[in-house]
Amino acid sequence: MARKNTRKKRKKQLNGFIFPVPFAGVVVMVAALALGYVWLGCQCEALGDDIKDIEAEGVQLNKKKMTAEYRWVRTKSPRSMEIALQRHGIDMDWPRVGQVVRLERGASARSLESDALAGGVRVARVNRPLLHE
């Protein structure tokens, strides 16, 4: 009889600790959801940093644009043009009345020719919008 008891003890020892399978599934799902939440948080933080960098770059580009526009307006002023012409040795004068062509919307090639024949200040109409408007 002693032999039978030892065999039963061995079987119990071989089975070991029993972990419930449904509980293990729940633990695995909770761990996966927690990792997904942390990953999404990291992605959102990285995108937020990228947005901040792009906004800062936009501010810098806007400042550069404003500086360039200011320099262009200052450069194309009549006094700056006269200085640039003198610096390059170009002798130019203001146009006479007959040399001036004013562009307006809606002109055709025929109206340009008739204005050229009439002499004086010519007014031309253009169908496409001007660049500065």
Side-chain angles (χ1 to χ4, degrees):
M1 282 218 190
R3 217 174 199 187
K4 288 183 183 179
N5 289 339
T6 56
R7 286 184 186 174
K8 288 181 182 177
K9 288 182 182 176
R10 284 184 190 168
K11 279 188 178 181
K12 288 182 181 177
Q13 290 175 353
L14 291 177
N15 287 339
F17 180 70
I18 298 175
F19 194 74
V21 175
F23 180 70
V26 169
V27 169
V28 169
M29 289 299 291
V30 167
L33 289 174
L35 287 174
Y37 180 77
V38 170
W39 179 78
L40 281 175
C42 291
Q43 291 294 96
C44 289
E45 193 171 323
L47 287 174
D49 291 341
D50 290 345
I51 289 171
K52 285 180 185 176
D53 293 342
I54 290 171
E55 285 176 349
E57 185 180 352
V59 168
Q60 288 177 348
L61 289 174
N62 194 25
K63 286 181 183 177
K64 284 184 180 180
K65 179 189 138 224
M66 295 299 283
T67 303
E69 284 179 355
Y70 172 73
R71 284 186 13 227
W72 175 248
V73 167
R74 192 178 63 196
T75 302
K76 70 176 190 174
S77 70
R79 180 67 187 142
S80 294
M81 291 299 226
E82 290 174 359
I83 292 172
L85 290 172
Q86 288 175 358
R87 182 177 49 223
H88 294 290
I90 299 173
D91 187 27
M92 292 182 75
D93 199 9
W94 290 100
R96 292 183 301 277
V97 175
Q99 296 173 322
V100 176
V101 176
R102 293 198 176 121
L103 299 177
E104 293 180 5
R105 294 177 193 238
S108 64
R110 290 182 188 159
S111 66
L112 288 174
E113 291 172 4
S114 64
D115 289 339
L117 294 175
V121 176
R122 293 177 282 175
V123 177
R125 296 185 179 192
V126 181
N127 289 329
R128 61 180 181 258
L130 298 176
L131 293 177
H132 65 279
E133 293 183 29

